[in-house]
Amino acid sequence: MGTATPVDDETGLIAQLRAGDESAYEQVVRTYGGRLLAVTRRILDSEEDARDVVQDAFLNAFRNVDRFEGNSKLSTWLHRIAVNAALMKLRTRKRKPEQSIETLLPFFLDDGHHEERFRSWEEPVDIAMERAETRQLVRAKIDELPESYRTVLVLRDIEGLDTEETAKMLGLTANAAKIRLHRARQALRTLLAPHLAGPASAKAGETPGGKLS
Amino acid sequence: MRCRELAEFLMDYVSGELPAENREHFELHLTRCRNCREYLVQYEGCVKAGRMACDEQSDELPVDVPEDLVKAVLAARKLDPSS
Ligand SMILES: [Zn+2]
């Protein structure tokens, strides 16, 4: 049982876990560990912390497997435990001084206009995101966001939590969570735009496909 | 409404939470300002891109867990008195 394989019989696996079957623990770690690591890496920027958190999450899950209710999937349950463990880690570890987000927000002239003239992206985002390299780029840029903004963006836009849940998990007011999400999205746009914009010299109307109007 | 205010209201507009009166001003500005239309498209694009890039089903996310992590978890579990 060396590699990650989809679990056909979750109920059987859970029964084995509850019975303390050693091979079941291993199967769970091999099956879900990689995905959980991807999740904790997104929240924490230290590889060591991300791994520690995955380990904590599994131990926590194994301890509480009796409380697992069959109405959600095992993967969903583990995912939630890992997210919670990652947030706990964020809260307890020493805050690193954080890069300011100001330089990644739009600048305005005195008359209230944007300072920048935004260049259209080369193709619609759905098309661009079909390429693995673009997806990789987006993940890398999310990782570049200052931590307190990245976590809000991850919880809201990627994990799909609502404002209230996000605020609660991070110990923020709902309003603060909203402001941070907005800034995080704007900052992500600033980071992505140079990579997604069409060529500066493109003659109007000549770029094939993907006109964003 | 100027570009500066429009940028401020963007999130509420996108989520449909902008009050009707502000929405009117917002949309009026959009019809007149190409730059803000482009900004809106890119803002929404980023939300979508983030979601799509981190989709758990997407092929390139690691499915295999590092071997040393597997070993560490299983070893820690054996030592865990409460499991
Ligand atoms: Zn404008």
Side-chain angles (χ1 to χ4, degrees):
Chain A
M1 55 176 337
T3 52
T5 44
V7 177
D8 303 322
D9 180 15
E10 233 184 40
T11 321
L13 184 58
I14 290 156
Q16 281 176 284
L17 283 180
R18 286 182 174 150
D21 180 336
E22 205 59 46
S23 72
Y25 293 122
E26 180 166 353
Q27 195 189 344
V28 169
V29 176
R30 289 192 187 281
T31 305
Y32 303 105
R35 291 197 188 285
L36 294 193
L37 191 56
V39 173
T40 60
R41 275 177 183 151
R42 224 177 276 145
I43 296 174
L44 299 156
D45 46 19
S46 140
E47 176 69 16
E48 199 189 337
D49 285 350
R51 287 181 178 222
D52 284 351
V53 163
V54 168
Q55 178 168 326
D56 290 348
F58 275 123
L59 293 183
N60 189 357
F62 293 153
R63 262 176 234 143
N64 293 296
V65 70
D66 285 333
R67 278 195 241 154
F68 173 71
E69 290 163 25
N71 51 17
S72 71
K73 285 176 65 182
L74 185 58
S75 57
T76 312
W77 185 64
L78 290 170
H79 182 103
R80 187 47 62 96
I81 291 174
V83 169
N84 281 324
L87 292 172
M88 185 71 78
K89 185 77 162 189
L90 267 188
R91 279 197 293 266
T92 54
R93 79 177 179 189
K94 226 189 266 169
R95 263 277 157 86
K96 279 186 274 178
E98 190 168 282
Q99 183 213 334
S100 159
I101 200 160
E102 295 298 324
T103 54
L104 298 174
L105 299 179
F107 287 101
F108 297 94
L109 304 170
D110 287 341
D111 66 5
H113 281 91
H114 279 282
E115 184 191 63
E116 186 184 346
R117 185 141 296 274
F118 304 110
R119 265 197 290 143
S120 295
W121 290 353
E122 201 159 17
E123 36 184 16
V125 76
D126 304 72
I127 307 289
M129 294 303 291
E130 281 173 10
R131 285 192 304 277
E133 61 179 284
T134 317
R135 296 197 292 272
Q136 172 60 41
L137 170 80
V138 173
R139 290 197 296 271
K141 294 302 168 190
I142 290 173
D143 288 346
E144 277 181 35
L145 295 172
E147 179 183 291
S148 61
Y149 295 90
R150 189 185 64 243
T151 49
V152 175
L153 183 120
V154 166
L155 292 182
R156 288 283 277 107
D157 287 344
I158 295 163
E159 294 297 326
L161 303 190
D162 66 24
T163 303
E164 299 296 329
E165 291 171 309
T166 302
K168 206 171 138 200
M169 283 188 125
L170 296 172
L172 299 169
T173 64
N175 200 44
K178 279 184 74 173
I179 290 168
R180 279 198 207 174
L181 175 64
H182 185 41
R183 290 189 179 162
R185 287 170 170 179
Q186 289 183 294
L188 182 59
R189 194 216 63 86
T190 304
L191 291 170
L192 284 176
H195 302 273
L196 299 180
S201 57
K203 291 171 213 117
E206 285 192 3
T207 330
K211 278 293 92 186
L212 300 160
S213 57
Chain B
M1 189 179 290
R2 301 174 304 172
C3 305
R4 184 198 296 273
E5 285 84 46
L6 187 128
E8 223 169 90
F9 291 140
L10 209 49
M11 185 165 71
D12 284 342
Y13 179 76
V14 167
S15 63
E17 290 168 72
L18 195 62
E21 198 198 313
N22 285 343
R23 197 171 62 233
E24 259 172 50
H25 293 296
F26 188 102
E27 287 173 345
L28 182 64
H29 180 101
L30 274 188
T31 62
R32 294 173 179 159
C33 182
R34 195 205 150 273
N35 211 31
C36 279
R37 285 200 299 277
E38 186 56 42
Y39 195 71
L40 170 63
V41 167
Q42 295 186 13
Y43 182 91
E44 290 187 291
C46 282
V47 177
K48 203 170 195 179
R51 201 172 51 233
M52 293 173 84
C54 301
D55 181 359
E56 271 203 79
Q57 306 312 318
S58 76
D59 41 13
E60 70 268 22
L61 292 184
V63 170
D64 286 319
V65 57
E67 194 56 38
D68 53 342
L69 181 58
V70 177
K71 296 230 162 72
V73 173
L74 295 175
R77 196 207 62 79
K78 282 190 179 155
L79 295 173
D80 184 3
S82 48
S83 85

